[in-house]
């Protein structure tokens, strides 16, 4: 998975061929728009990709099946130990 901050999108990269396809952003998927996607983590058990978006100051969950986006955690979600977001990456 590759993030593109300028295009505000996430791509799937085929590690054998180098071909890439758009997963979400730029008209693909639905839900909250990405602003500055950076770090990614795969949550294979739930079929989603987690994207750190520093301009949204949030972690966005992207459903792998259709690219749908939703906020998983942001400043509005309380933390259990008082932790606050700065610029998630």
């Amino acid at each position: 998975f590759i993030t593109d901050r300028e295009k505000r999108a996430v791509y799937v990269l085929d590690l054998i061929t180098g071909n890439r396809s758009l997963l979400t952003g730029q008209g693909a998927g639905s839900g909250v728009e990405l602003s500055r996607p950076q770090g990614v983590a795969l949550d294979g058990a739930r079929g989603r990709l987690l994207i750190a978006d520093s301009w949204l100051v949030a972690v966005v969950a992207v459903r792998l099946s259709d690219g749908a986006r939703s906020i998983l955690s942001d400043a509005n979600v309380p933390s259990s130990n008082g932790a606050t977001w700065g610029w998630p990456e």
Side-chain angles (χ1 to χ4, degrees), residues 4-58:
D4 186 324
R5 294 182 303 190
E6 183 178 325
K7 294 189 181 267
R8 300 177 179 182
V10 179
Y11 298 87
V12 177
L13 177 67
D14 184 311
L15 297 177
I16 303 299
T17 66
N19 291 334
R20 62 192 174 282
S21 59
L22 183 61
L23 171 63
T24 195
Q26 294 293 301
S30 61
V32 64
E33 291 294 326
L34 297 171
S35 291
R36 191 171 186 128
Q38 292 183 291
V40 297
L42 178 63
D43 180 0
R46 291 182 178 85
R48 63 186 182 177
L49 191 66
L50 306 178
I51 311 288
D53 191 305
S54 61
W55 283 5
L56 289 177
V57 190

Side-chain angles (χ1 to χ4, degrees), residues 63-89:
R63 205 166 41 219
L64 294 174
S65 61
D66 61 5
R69 301 172 300 275
S70 61
I71 299 287
L72 176 64
S73 185
D74 65 6
N76 297 316
V77 176
S79 71
S80 60
N81 62 0
T84 59
W85 289 111
W87 294 100
E89 293 181 17

